[in-house]
């Protein structure tokens, strides 16, 4: 299985659904929005030409500003690096609206096109062009293959690959000086290399309407050049002469759009759409708008008649003869036949017949001259156009082969260095290197280096600094969150290794305590750094057998950070003030800032001396009664502090009976 291809980390590239002159179109999926898209990707063999890349990017820029239901939407653009012929090339791509349907070219080939559908589709194209022209964009390549009909019958205009802003439409040729557009739909001004405007698109739309009506373009030929010559110097036959069922009312509408002089065409797309809609409703184009010649139009009775610029022959009289009869039968001005005497054929022809013959001869000579002039004009035009093509080709070749000097790129940012090279029509190739002096992201050097001269299209290697090879682990990372520490270490070029835990008196739980190698140590970039995070707990030290002041000092040390509470307990075995027990026990853990409870030994109370017996018999009844009991010691007293011995209370002992 092949690895899934994803662009910009978002668009999954699927099956190939179309191929053009410079790009392939794939079905794709937008993983973020979960929708199908069409991905137009420049082919690798075309990506080496900066002019092709510029044309591809111009398409995205042109369509991105257009928002119309009859124009395919552009969602996103970007570039992808790909290895081709041993080098890395940038492949720009356009993410567009995915349209399910067929092109008008497919519908024409399948024979499914009707006159009503043709009118409907062209009106949709004109709506799209009206919006495009209002935004200052001339399409320049309207043709059936660039018009899509969706499954619901909606229309979508595609492929603005050679579109230009009206402000930049003075050039109708590409940077390689080849005529843009498709020959069968090329306007005369495009063929002549003149400036284009919105009416250029109207001419191409007229060619489109012509083909939808008749099933063929208005001009065909053996080569694109021969077709271009026809656009400049010949007139197409009226559509109704090719399709019997087509109403001749549409001839004027179509042929006005095909006028050689753009001033004779419709003023804009809206005017074209209005004329087409009126013709569909039976309203003919007004006579004052018939500025373009209408060659060979079909009259209402179905006969073919010649229309200007070809003049009709005089019909005042004709002479006919047969092998069997020499009789000449003139036709008078009223159309009736007049018999002529049998011998009149030997006589001098009458004056009217001589005049007629002279007029016929003059008409033939004039027609011949017209054809000669027309052919000569076409030949001269062909020579001029060919010479212009050759001159432009020579100039383009000289410009393309002119060497350029590699500029000084050192310490430029990577983006600026790449942009500088592309402006000089050079191909940047980025490589990262360690450098102790040049900051990260800046160019260290280039190969070839300045000021060497190279041909346009040459690949220039850019060595971009990724900082020193060894860096110091910042001590300031201690006490930072795990996420923050990871980000800093990754930005410095290190990799993250294992994660362990350690007790610490002040670093919050799961925040960084230390690293391995240790913080502050100089480490080679790319080394794996192990993280030691805080558990949020503190190890309890050994306090038994210590005096309270010693224990207090030990617990209050910043490395421990615990408090202390004391409980006194009489104990004669150890020196008073000595800790004889603790809770928690030594070696266990307790939360940061916790308290350790210790039991402190105090001197036991000494028993009172036994009183001397006295004679109480003489005392009589007033003598005290015998009392019995055992002396008791006071209960241990819990105290908090640094363990200073409190004043012990004097015991009260009962007096024994005599």
């Amino acid at each position: 299985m092949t690895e899934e291809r994803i662009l910009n980390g978002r668009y999954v590239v699927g099956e190939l659904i179309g191929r053009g002159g410079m790009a392939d179109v794939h079905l794709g999926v937008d993983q973020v929005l979960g929708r199908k898209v069409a991905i137009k990707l420049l082919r690798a063999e075309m990506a080496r030409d900066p002019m092709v890349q510029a044309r591809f990017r111009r398409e995205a820029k042109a369509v991105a500003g257009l928002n119309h239901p009859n124009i395919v939407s552009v969602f996103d653009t970007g570039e992808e690096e790909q290895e081709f012929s041993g080098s890395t090339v940038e492949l720009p791509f356009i993410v567009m609206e995915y349209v399910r349907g067929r092109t008008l070219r497919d519908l024409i080939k399948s024979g499914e096109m009707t006159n009503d559908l043709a009118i409907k589709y062209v009106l949709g194209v004109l709506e799209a062009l009206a919006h495009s022209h209002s935004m200052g964009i001339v399409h320049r390549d309207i043709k059936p293959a660039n018009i899509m009909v969706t499954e619901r019958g909606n229309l979508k205009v595609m492929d603005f690959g050679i579109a230009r802003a009206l402000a930049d439409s003075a050039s109708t040729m590409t940077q390689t000086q080849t005529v843009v557009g498709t020959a069968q739909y090329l306007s005369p001004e495009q063929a002549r290399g003149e400036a284009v405007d919105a009416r250029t698109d109207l001419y191409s739309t007229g060619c489109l309407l012509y083909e939808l009506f008749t099933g063929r373009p208005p001009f065909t030929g053996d080569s694109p050049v021969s077709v271009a010559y026809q656009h400049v110097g010949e007139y197409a036959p009226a559509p109704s002469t090719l399709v019997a069922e087509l109403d001749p009312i549409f001839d004027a509408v179509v042929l006005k759009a095909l006028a050689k002089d753009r001033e004779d065409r419709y003023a804009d797309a809206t005017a074209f759409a209005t004329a087409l809609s009126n013709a569909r409703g039976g309203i003919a184009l007004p006579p004052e708008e018939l500025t373009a010649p209408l060659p060979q139009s079909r009259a209402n009775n179905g006969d073919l008649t010649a229309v200007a610029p070809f003049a009709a022959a005089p019909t005042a009289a004709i002479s006919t003869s047969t092998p069997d009869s020499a009789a000449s039968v003139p036709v008078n001005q009223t159309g009736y036949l007049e018999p002529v005497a049998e011998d009149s054929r030997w006589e001098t022809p009458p004056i009217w017949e001589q005049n007629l013959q002279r007029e016929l001869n003059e008409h033939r000579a004039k027609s011949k001259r017209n054809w000669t002039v027309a052919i000569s004009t076409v030949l001269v035009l062909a020579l001029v156009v060919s010479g212009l093509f050759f001159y432009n080709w020579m100039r383009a070749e000289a410009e393309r082969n002119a060497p350029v000097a590699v500029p000084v790129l050192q310490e430029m940012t990577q983006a600026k260095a790449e942009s500088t090279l592309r402006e000089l029509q050079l191909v940047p190739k980025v490589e990262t290197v360690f450098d102790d002096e040049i900051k990260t992201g800046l160019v260290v050097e280039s190969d070839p280096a300045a000021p060497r001269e190279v041909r346009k299209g040459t690949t220039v290697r850019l060595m971009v600094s990724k900082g020193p090879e060894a860096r110091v682990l910042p001590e300031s990372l201690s006490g930072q969150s795990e996420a923050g520490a990871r980000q800093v270490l990754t930005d410095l070029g290190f990799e993250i290794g294992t994660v362990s835990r350690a007790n610490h008196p002040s670093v919050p739980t799961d925040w960084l305590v230390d690293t391995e190698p240790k913080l502050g140590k100089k480490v080679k970039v790319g080394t794996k750094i192990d993280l030691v995070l805080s558990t949020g707990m503190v190890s309890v030290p050994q306090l038994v057998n210590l005096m309270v002041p010693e224990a207090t000092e030990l617990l209050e040390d910043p490395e421990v950070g615990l408090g202390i509470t004391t409980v006194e307990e009489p104990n004669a075995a150890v020196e008073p003030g000595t800790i004889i027990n603790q809770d928690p026990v030594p070696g266990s853990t307790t939360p940061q800032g916790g308290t350790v409870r210790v039991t402190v030994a105090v001197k036991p109370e000494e028993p009172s001396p036994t009183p001397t017996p006295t004679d109480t018999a003489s005392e009589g009844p007033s003598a005290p009664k015998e009392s019995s009991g055992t002396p008791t010691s006071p209960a241990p007293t819990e105290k908090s502090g640094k363990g200073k011995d409190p004043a012990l209370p004097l015991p009260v002992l009962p007096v024994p009976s005599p």
Side-chain angles (χ1 to χ4, degrees):
M1 295 181 62
T2 58
E3 184 179 354
E4 193 174 59
R5 187 179 183 187
I6 301 179
L7 304 178
N8 271 4
R10 174 172 179 174
Y11 304 105
V12 179
V13 180
E15 61 181 297
L16 181 68
I17 58 176
R19 292 181 66 89
M22 64 180 181
D24 296 333
V25 181
H26 294 262
L27 176 63
V29 176
D30 183 345
Q31 293 180 313
V32 175
L33 300 179
R35 64 182 176 187
K36 290 184 178 180
V37 294
I39 302 174
K40 188 172 185 179
L41 188 63
L42 188 66
R43 287 203 290 272
E45 63 268 22
M46 305 294 294
R48 292 180 177 275
D49 188 343
M51 297 302 103
V52 174
Q53 288 201 3
R55 170 179 171 178
F56 195 85
R57 293 188 182 97
R58 186 165 64 245
E59 175 179 3
K61 182 178 179 181
V63 187
L66 302 179
N67 183 17
H68 192 275
N70 289 1
I71 298 177
V72 173
S73 301
V74 167
F75 299 142
D76 198 0
T77 61
E79 293 184 353
E80 180 192 40
E81 287 191 354
Q82 181 172 319
E83 293 294 329
F84 180 74
S85 298
S87 62
T88 302
V89 295
E90 296 284 345
L91 298 184
F93 62 87
I94 305 173
V95 181
M96 303 180 295
E97 172 187 4
Y98 173 57
V99 181
R100 295 178 60 89
R102 293 189 293 171
T103 64
L104 290 184
R105 181 176 64 180
D106 296 333
L107 293 175
I108 294 172
K109 288 183 177 180
S110 66
E112 301 176 32
M113 187 59 59
T114 65
N115 293 337
D116 290 338
L117 286 177
I119 296 170
K120 172 186 174 182
Y121 294 150
V122 170
L123 288 175
V125 172
L126 291 171
E127 286 182 18
L129 290 177
H131 176 73
S132 170
H133 296 163
S134 70
M135 300 298 291
I137 299 298
V138 181
H139 189 287
R140 302 204 302 169
D141 197 16
I142 294 295
K143 59 183 178 181
N146 285 342
I147 313 296
M148 177 75 77
V149 178
T150 69
E151 294 178 338
R152 296 185 177 182
N154 298 323
L155 197 88
K156 294 285 185 179
V157 178
M158 309 180 297
D159 199 353
F160 280 71
I162 61 173
R164 284 290 184 107
L166 285 170
D168 188 35
S169 61
S171 173
T172 189
M173 298 202 178
T174 64
Q175 294 296 332
T176 55
Q177 302 302 316
T178 57
V179 176
V180 298
T182 305
Q184 284 81 359
Y185 315 95
L186 200 67
S187 68
E189 57 266 24
Q190 285 175 292
R192 289 191 294 262
E194 298 174 352
V196 301
D197 58 18
R199 292 168 294 181
T200 300
D201 284 344
L202 302 187
Y203 184 93
S204 301
T205 307
C207 295
L208 171 67
L209 180 59
Y210 192 103
E211 184 171 358
L212 295 180
F213 276 152
T214 66
R216 48 151 282 187
F219 300 109
T220 59
D222 297 333
S223 68
V225 174
S226 66
V227 176
Y229 290 160
Q230 295 179 65
H231 280 291
V232 173
E234 295 186 15
Y235 293 96
S240 64
T241 64
L242 304 178
V243 180
E245 61 271 16
L246 180 64
D247 191 333
I249 196 173
F250 293 104
D251 291 345
V253 176
V254 175
L255 296 176
K256 181 176 176 64
L258 296 180
K260 306 302 180 185
D261 187 344
R262 74 185 81 186
E263 297 296 333
D264 294 335
R265 300 175 203 155
Y266 299 101
D268 51 38
T270 302
F272 192 169
T274 300
L276 183 57
S277 298
N278 289 342
R280 181 174 57 180
I283 303 175
L285 200 66
E288 62 271 14
E289 295 191 23
L290 297 175
T291 55
L294 306 179
Q296 288 197 337
S297 178
R298 179 166 52 85
N300 291 334
N301 61 3
D303 297 331
L304 296 181
T305 59
V307 185
F310 305 106
T315 57
I318 58 174
S319 177
T320 61
S321 62
T322 64
D324 297 330
S325 174
S328 177
V329 185
V331 180
N332 64 18
Q333 297 291 340
T334 61
Y336 294 100
L337 300 179
E338 293 182 348
V340 180
E342 182 177 355
D343 293 336
S344 64
R345 63 185 183 275
W346 304 111
E347 299 175 357
T348 303
I351 297 299
W352 64 265
E353 188 172 346
Q354 296 179 30
N355 293 336
L356 173 59
Q357 187 62 46
R358 185 174 63 257
E359 290 178 4
L360 288 174
N361 292 337
E362 290 177 354
H363 173 70
R364 292 191 186 99
K366 184 177 180 181
S367 298
K368 185 176 180 180
R369 286 195 302 272
N370 289 340
W371 277 108
T372 301
V373 171
I375 294 173
S376 300
T377 302
V378 171
L379 291 176
V380 170
L381 182 61
L383 291 174
V384 171
V385 172
S386 299
L388 178 62
F389 284 172
F390 182 74
Y391 170 74
N392 288 334
W393 177 81
M394 291 291 292
R395 188 173 61 179
E397 283 295 302
E399 182 181 351
R400 185 172 64 86
N401 294 324
V404 294
V406 177
V408 176
L409 304 172
Q410 190 173 19
E411 297 193 22
M412 277 189 186
T413 63
Q414 177 182 333
K416 184 176 180 180
E418 290 185 82
S419 175
T420 301
L421 291 176
R422 290 195 179 101
E423 288 177 358
L424 296 173
Q425 300 181 29
L426 300 176
V427 181
K429 181 180 181 181
V430 177
E431 299 177 7
T432 55
V433 296
F434 291 109
D435 194 278
D436 294 333
E437 298 179 357
I438 305 299
K439 293 182 180 180
T440 302
L442 300 184
V443 176
V444 178
E445 59 179 336
S446 65
D447 181 25
R452 180 177 169 184
E453 291 189 344
V454 296
R455 291 185 61 182
K456 294 177 182 178
T458 300
T459 298
V460 177
R461 295 168 55 227
L462 293 176
M463 273 63 82
V464 178
S465 173
K466 53 182 179 180
E469 187 172 5
R471 295 180 176 176
V472 176
L473 296 177
E475 295 183 2
S476 60
L477 288 180
S478 180
Q480 290 194 18
S481 66
E482 179 186 1
R486 284 177 177 270
Q487 184 64 50
V488 171
L489 292 173
T490 302
D491 291 344
L492 290 174
F494 298 109
E495 297 183 11
I496 305 301
T498 61
V499 177
S500 60
R501 299 288 192 278
N503 297 330
H504 196 276
S506 59
V507 176
T509 305
D510 290 335
W511 286 44
L512 188 70
V513 174
D514 205 350
T515 60
E516 184 58 43
K518 298 294 184 183
L519 295 175
K521 186 177 180 181
K522 196 170 186 179
V523 182
K524 185 177 180 180
V525 173
T527 302
K528 286 189 176 181
I529 308 299
D530 297 333
L531 306 182
V532 181
L533 307 180
S534 173
T535 61
M537 306 292 286
V538 179
S539 298
V540 179
Q542 169 70 270
L543 303 178
V544 176
N545 294 327
L546 297 179
M547 302 302 287
V548 172
E550 296 175 330
T552 301
E553 183 178 359
L554 178 60
L555 293 176
E556 290 180 348
D557 188 283
E559 295 298 323
V560 180
L562 298 176
I564 185 172
T565 60
T566 61
V567 175
E568 296 178 344
E569 181 179 305
N571 191 315
V574 297
E575 181 183 354
T578 303
I579 296 174
I580 59 176
N581 198 5
Q582 70 178 80
D583 181 27
V585 299
S588 63
T589 58
T590 187
Q592 296 170 345
T595 301
V596 180
R597 186 172 181 268
V598 299
T599 303
V600 182
V602 296
K603 185 177 181 180
E605 295 179 353
E606 296 181 359
S608 301
T610 303
T612 303
T614 58
D615 187 6
T616 60
S618 61
E619 296 180 2
S622 61
K625 294 183 180 180
E626 181 179 357
S627 62
S628 63
T630 58
T632 60
S633 300
T637 303
E638 181 175 335
K639 304 186 70 176
S640 177
K642 293 188 178 182
K644 295 182 180 180
D645 294 337
L648 298 176
L650 294 177
V652 180
L653 300 177
V655 179
S657 303

